[in-house]
PDB file of all heavy atoms in Angstrom:
ATOM      1  N   THR E 197     -56.087-263.737 133.025  1.00 88.00           N
ATOM      2  CA  THR E 197     -56.975-263.162 132.007  1.00 88.00           C
ATOM      3  C   THR E 197     -58.082-264.156 131.655  1.00 88.00           C
ATOM      4  O   THR E 197     -57.994-265.338 131.962  1.00 88.00           O
ATOM      5  CB  THR E 197     -56.188-262.838 130.726  1.00 88.00           C
ATOM      6  OG1 THR E 197     -55.600-264.045 130.254  1.00 88.00           O
ATOM      7  CG2 THR E 197     -55.106-261.821 130.993  1.00 88.00           C
ATOM      8  N   GLU E 200     -56.922-267.294 129.814  1.00 88.00           N
ATOM      9  CA  GLU E 200     -55.865-268.124 130.390  1.00 88.00           C
ATOM     10  C   GLU E 200     -56.359-269.507 130.780  1.00 88.00           C
ATOM     11  O   GLU E 200     -57.434-269.659 131.357  1.00 88.00           O
ATOM     12  CB  GLU E 200     -55.290-267.400 131.629  1.00 88.00           C
ATOM     13  CG  GLU E 200     -54.017-268.017 132.162  1.00 88.00           C
ATOM     14  CD  GLU E 200     -52.859-267.927 131.167  1.00 88.00           C
ATOM     15  OE1 GLU E 200     -52.893-268.679 130.173  1.00 88.00           O
ATOM     16  OE2 GLU E 200     -51.942-267.122 131.388  1.00 88.00           O
ATOM     17  N   ARG E 201     -55.577-270.525 130.417  1.00 90.00           N
ATOM     18  CA  ARG E 201     -55.874-271.897 130.833  1.00 90.00           C
ATOM     19  C   ARG E 201     -54.639-272.569 131.434  1.00 90.00           C
ATOM     20  O   ARG E 201     -54.733-273.641 131.995  1.00 90.00           O
ATOM     21  CB  ARG E 201     -56.336-272.744 129.643  1.00 90.00           C
ATOM     22  CG  ARG E 201     -57.521-272.207 128.874  1.00 90.00           C
ATOM     23  CD  ARG E 201     -58.820-272.333 129.651  1.00 90.00           C
ATOM     24  NE  ARG E 201     -59.932-271.886 128.833  1.00 90.00           N
ATOM     25  CZ  ARG E 201     -60.355-270.623 128.756  1.00 90.00           C
ATOM     26  NH1 ARG E 201     -59.781-269.685 129.492  1.00 90.00           N
ATOM     27  NH2 ARG E 201     -61.354-270.298 127.974  1.00 90.00           N
ATOM     28  N   GLN E 202     -53.478-271.951 131.254  1.00 88.00           N
ATOM     29  CA  GLN E 202     -52.233-272.554 131.716  1.00 88.00           C
ATOM     30  C   GLN E 202     -51.786-271.821 132.975  1.00 88.00           C
ATOM     31  O   GLN E 202     -51.473-270.642 132.911  1.00 88.00           O
ATOM     32  CB  GLN E 202     -51.148-272.444 130.640  1.00 88.00           C
ATOM     33  CG  GLN E 202     -51.205-273.509 129.598  1.00 88.00           C
ATOM     34  CD  GLN E 202     -52.462-273.458 128.737  1.00 88.00           C
ATOM     35  OE1 GLN E 202     -53.197-274.414 128.650  1.00 88.00           O
ATOM     36  NE2 GLN E 202     -52.714-272.323 128.123  1.00 88.00           N
ATOM     37  N   SER E 205     -47.384-270.825 136.479  1.00 91.00           N
ATOM     38  CA  SER E 205     -46.761-269.817 137.342  1.00 91.00           C
ATOM     39  C   SER E 205     -47.582-269.587 138.598  1.00 91.00           C
ATOM     40  O   SER E 205     -47.030-269.437 139.694  1.00 91.00           O
ATOM     41  CB  SER E 205     -46.627-268.498 136.588  1.00 91.00           C
ATOM     42  OG  SER E 205     -45.922-268.692 135.390  1.00 91.00           O
ATOM     43  N   ARG E 211     -47.733-272.927 145.695  1.00 92.00           N
ATOM     44  CA  ARG E 211     -46.914-273.876 146.449  1.00 92.00           C
ATOM     45  C   ARG E 211     -46.000-273.129 147.425  1.00 92.00           C
ATOM     46  O   ARG E 211     -45.825-273.527 148.572  1.00 92.00           O
ATOM     47  CB  ARG E 211     -46.088-274.730 145.490  1.00 92.00           C
ATOM     48  CG  ARG E 211     -45.671-276.062 146.133  1.00 92.00           C
ATOM     49  CD  ARG E 211     -44.398-276.618 145.577  1.00 92.00           C
ATOM     50  NE  ARG E 211     -44.390-276.818 144.145  1.00 92.00           N
ATOM     51  CZ  ARG E 211     -44.834-277.926 143.537  1.00 92.00           C
ATOM     52  NH1 ARG E 211     -45.337-278.905 144.242  1.00 92.00           N
ATOM     53  NH2 ARG E 211     -44.757-278.023 142.248  1.00 92.00           N
ATOM     54  N   GLN E 233     -54.811-278.314 137.785  1.00 91.00           N
ATOM     55  CA  GLN E 233     -53.357-278.109 137.808  1.00 91.00           C
ATOM     56  C   GLN E 233     -52.828-277.941 139.231  1.00 91.00           C
ATOM     57  O   GLN E 233     -51.710-278.353 139.529  1.00 91.00           O
ATOM     58  CB  GLN E 233     -52.984-276.911 136.920  1.00 91.00           C
ATOM     59  CG  GLN E 233     -53.130-277.262 135.436  1.00 91.00           C
ATOM     60  CD  GLN E 233     -53.055-276.054 134.519  1.00 91.00           C
ATOM     61  OE1 GLN E 233     -52.305-275.109 134.759  1.00 91.00           O
ATOM     62  NE2 GLN E 233     -53.846-276.072 133.459  1.00 91.00           N
ATOM     63  N   ALA E 236     -52.794-281.473 140.525  1.00 88.00           N
ATOM     64  CA  ALA E 236     -51.763-282.259 139.825  1.00 88.00           C
ATOM     65  C   ALA E 236     -50.373-281.921 140.332  1.00 88.00           C
ATOM     66  O   ALA E 236     -49.451-282.725 140.232  1.00 88.00           O
ATOM     67  CB  ALA E 236     -51.848-282.040 138.325  1.00 88.00           C
ATOM     68  N   ILE E 256     -64.625-280.934 134.045  1.00 93.00           N
ATOM     69  CA  ILE E 256     -63.221-280.666 133.692  1.00 93.00           C
ATOM     70  C   ILE E 256     -62.287-281.106 134.811  1.00 93.00           C
ATOM     71  O   ILE E 256     -61.304-281.805 134.576  1.00 93.00           O
ATOM     72  CB  ILE E 256     -62.999-279.167 133.404  1.00 93.00           C
ATOM     73  CG1 ILE E 256     -63.814-278.736 132.192  1.00 93.00           C
ATOM     74  CG2 ILE E 256     -61.518-278.876 133.176  1.00 93.00           C
ATOM     75  CD1 ILE E 256     -63.925-277.233 132.037  1.00 93.00           C
ATOM     76  N   ALA E 257     -62.601-280.697 136.035  1.00 92.00           N
ATOM     77  CA  ALA E 257     -61.653-280.949 137.123  1.00 92.00           C
ATOM     78  C   ALA E 257     -61.773-282.370 137.657  1.00 92.00           C
ATOM     79  O   ALA E 257     -60.860-282.856 138.342  1.00 92.00           O
ATOM     80  CB  ALA E 257     -61.866-279.929 138.231  1.00 92.00           C
ATOM     81  N   GLY E 258     -62.867-283.048 137.366  1.00 90.00           N
ATOM     82  CA  GLY E 258     -63.007-284.459 137.752  1.00 90.00           C
ATOM     83  C   GLY E 258     -62.697-284.691 139.221  1.00 90.00           C
ATOM     84  O   GLY E 258     -63.189-283.963 140.086  1.00 90.00           O
TER      85      GLY E 258
ATOM     86  N   ASP Z   5     -39.684-274.006 140.491  1.00 89.00           N
ATOM     87  CA  ASP Z   5     -41.008-274.336 139.960  1.00 89.00           C
ATOM     88  C   ASP Z   5     -41.322-273.505 138.712  1.00 89.00           C
ATOM     89  O   ASP Z   5     -41.829-274.024 137.727  1.00 89.00           O
ATOM     90  CB  ASP Z   5     -42.091-274.056 141.011  1.00 89.00           C
ATOM     91  CG  ASP Z   5     -42.231-275.212 141.992  1.00 89.00           C
ATOM     92  OD1 ASP Z   5     -41.727-276.300 141.667  1.00 89.00           O
ATOM     93  OD2 ASP Z   5     -42.834-275.020 143.053  1.00 89.00           O
ATOM     94  N   PHE Z  13     -43.372-275.548 129.116  1.00 93.00           N
ATOM     95  CA  PHE Z  13     -44.156-274.835 128.114  1.00 93.00           C
ATOM     96  C   PHE Z  13     -43.324-274.423 126.917  1.00 93.00           C
ATOM     97  O   PHE Z  13     -43.814-274.431 125.790  1.00 93.00           O
ATOM     98  CB  PHE Z  13     -44.876-273.637 128.726  1.00 93.00           C
ATOM     99  CG  PHE Z  13     -46.212-274.043 129.220  1.00 93.00           C
ATOM    100  CD1 PHE Z  13     -46.379-274.440 130.520  1.00 93.00           C
ATOM    101  CD2 PHE Z  13     -47.265-274.121 128.345  1.00 93.00           C
ATOM    102  CE1 PHE Z  13     -47.591-274.892 130.964  1.00 93.00           C
ATOM    103  CE2 PHE Z  13     -48.486-274.574 128.771  1.00 93.00           C
ATOM    104  CZ  PHE Z  13     -48.651-274.957 130.090  1.00 93.00           C
ATOM    105  N   TYR Z 125     -54.395-287.020 135.684  1.00 77.00           N
ATOM    106  CA  TYR Z 125     -55.092-286.359 136.761  1.00 77.00           C
ATOM    107  C   TYR Z 125     -54.316-286.481 138.048  1.00 77.00           C
ATOM    108  O   TYR Z 125     -54.068-287.572 138.515  1.00 77.00           O
ATOM    109  CB  TYR Z 125     -56.410-287.079 136.985  1.00 77.00           C
ATOM    110  CG  TYR Z 125     -57.561-286.221 136.605  1.00 77.00           C
ATOM    111  CD1 TYR Z 125     -58.725-286.781 136.152  1.00 77.00           C
ATOM    112  CD2 TYR Z 125     -57.466-284.845 136.695  1.00 77.00           C
ATOM    113  CE1 TYR Z 125     -59.781-286.012 135.793  1.00 77.00           C
ATOM    114  CE2 TYR Z 125     -58.533-284.069 136.325  1.00 77.00           C
ATOM    115  CZ  TYR Z 125     -59.681-284.650 135.872  1.00 77.00           C
ATOM    116  OH  TYR Z 125     -60.727-283.898 135.503  1.00 77.00           O
ATOM    117  N   ASN Z 128     -48.415-286.718 140.070  1.00 79.00           N
ATOM    118  CA  ASN Z 128     -47.171-285.969 140.183  1.00 79.00           C
ATOM    119  C   ASN Z 128     -46.039-286.849 140.649  1.00 79.00           C
ATOM    120  O   ASN Z 128     -46.226-287.927 141.179  1.00 79.00           O
ATOM    121  CB  ASN Z 128     -47.337-284.733 141.057  1.00 79.00           C
ATOM    122  CG  ASN Z 128     -47.881-285.078 142.405  1.00 79.00           C
ATOM    123  OD1 ASN Z 128     -47.182-285.631 143.233  1.00 79.00           O
ATOM    124  ND2 ASN Z 128     -49.171-284.795 142.617  1.00 79.00           N
ATOM    125  N   SER Z 135     -41.750-281.704 143.859  1.00 76.00           N
ATOM    126  CA  SER Z 135     -42.762-282.437 143.094  1.00 76.00           C
ATOM    127  C   SER Z 135     -43.055-281.761 141.767  1.00 76.00           C
ATOM    128  O   SER Z 135     -43.160-280.541 141.683  1.00 76.00           O
ATOM    129  CB  SER Z 135     -44.003-282.583 143.986  1.00 76.00           C
ATOM    130  OG  SER Z 135     -45.158-282.247 143.317  1.00 76.00           O
ATOM    131  N   ASN Z 210     -55.055-279.550 130.731  1.00 90.00           N
ATOM    132  CA  ASN Z 210     -56.200-278.738 131.157  1.00 90.00           C
ATOM    133  C   ASN Z 210     -57.437-279.587 131.373  1.00 90.00           C
ATOM    134  O   ASN Z 210     -58.422-279.112 131.904  1.00 90.00           O
ATOM    135  CB  ASN Z 210     -56.531-277.692 130.095  1.00 90.00           C
ATOM    136  CG  ASN Z 210     -55.454-276.645 129.990  1.00 90.00           C
ATOM    137  OD1 ASN Z 210     -54.637-276.512 130.897  1.00 90.00           O
ATOM    138  ND2 ASN Z 210     -55.444-275.921 128.906  1.00 90.00           N
ATOM    139  N   ASN Z 211     -57.387-280.818 130.867  1.00 91.00           N
ATOM    140  CA  ASN Z 211     -58.547-281.691 130.837  1.00 91.00           C
ATOM    141  C   ASN Z 211     -59.699-281.032 130.092  1.00 91.00           C
ATOM    142  O   ASN Z 211     -60.850-281.236 130.400  1.00 91.00           O
ATOM    143  CB  ASN Z 211     -58.990-282.053 132.245  1.00 91.00           C
ATOM    144  CG  ASN Z 211     -59.704-283.377 132.236  1.00 91.00           C
ATOM    145  OD1 ASN Z 211     -59.275-284.278 131.541  1.00 91.00           O
ATOM    146  ND2 ASN Z 211     -60.791-283.478 132.956  1.00 91.00           N
ATOM    147  N   GLU Z 214     -61.188-276.627 123.846  1.00 92.00           N
ATOM    148  CA  GLU Z 214     -62.255-275.716 123.430  1.00 92.00           C
ATOM    149  C   GLU Z 214     -62.034-275.334 121.965  1.00 92.00           C
ATOM    150  O   GLU Z 214     -60.923-275.464 121.455  1.00 92.00           O
ATOM    151  CB  GLU Z 214     -62.219-274.453 124.285  1.00 92.00           C
ATOM    152  CG  GLU Z 214     -62.427-274.720 125.757  1.00 92.00           C
ATOM    153  CD  GLU Z 214     -61.946-273.554 126.606  1.00 92.00           C
ATOM    154  OE1 GLU Z 214     -60.733-273.431 126.837  1.00 92.00           O
ATOM    155  OE2 GLU Z 214     -62.774-272.754 127.005  1.00 92.00           O
ATOM    156  N   SER Z 252     -43.305-267.715 132.019  1.00 90.00           N
ATOM    157  CA  SER Z 252     -43.473-268.293 133.344  1.00 90.00           C
ATOM    158  C   SER Z 252     -43.026-267.306 134.423  1.00 90.00           C
ATOM    159  O   SER Z 252     -43.745-267.048 135.384  1.00 90.00           O
ATOM    160  CB  SER Z 252     -42.665-269.588 133.432  1.00 90.00           C
ATOM    161  OG  SER Z 252     -42.904-270.219 134.654  1.00 90.00           O
ATOM    162  N   ASP Z 263     -50.452-259.817 130.760  1.00 73.00           N
ATOM    163  CA  ASP Z 263     -50.928-261.159 130.474  1.00 73.00           C
ATOM    164  C   ASP Z 263     -49.917-261.876 129.578  1.00 73.00           C
ATOM    165  O   ASP Z 263     -48.901-261.324 129.167  1.00 73.00           O
ATOM    166  CB  ASP Z 263     -52.355-261.138 129.902  1.00 73.00           C
ATOM    167  CG  ASP Z 263     -52.401-260.814 128.428  1.00 73.00           C
ATOM    168  OD1 ASP Z 263     -51.336-260.562 127.823  1.00 73.00           O
ATOM    169  OD2 ASP Z 263     -53.504-260.804 127.884  1.00 73.00           O
ATOM    170  N   ARG Z 264     -50.234-263.140 129.330  1.00 75.00           N
ATOM    171  CA  ARG Z 264     -49.301-264.035 128.660  1.00 75.00           C
ATOM    172  C   ARG Z 264     -48.848-263.506 127.294  1.00 75.00           C
ATOM    173  O   ARG Z 264     -47.652-263.473 126.998  1.00 75.00           O
ATOM    174  CB  ARG Z 264     -50.012-265.381 128.504  1.00 75.00           C
ATOM    175  CG  ARG Z 264     -49.162-266.532 128.135  1.00 75.00           C
ATOM    176  CD  ARG Z 264     -49.984-267.810 128.210  1.00 75.00           C
ATOM    177  NE  ARG Z 264     -50.124-268.310 129.563  1.00 75.00           N
ATOM    178  CZ  ARG Z 264     -49.221-269.083 130.157  1.00 75.00           C
ATOM    179  NH1 ARG Z 264     -48.139-269.439 129.524  1.00 75.00           N
ATOM    180  NH2 ARG Z 264     -49.405-269.510 131.379  1.00 75.00           N
TER     181      ARG Z 264
END
Side-chain angles (χ1 to χ4, degrees):
Chain E
T197 59
E200 191 64 287
R201 304 288 184 272
Q202 277 65 237
S205 305
R211 203 208 304 273
Q233 287 168 36
I256 297 166
Chain Z
D5 277 344
F13 270 93
Y125 248 151
N128 55 73
S135 133
N210 292 343
N211 206 41
E214 299 162 281
S252 185
D263 81 358
R264 194 172 280 275

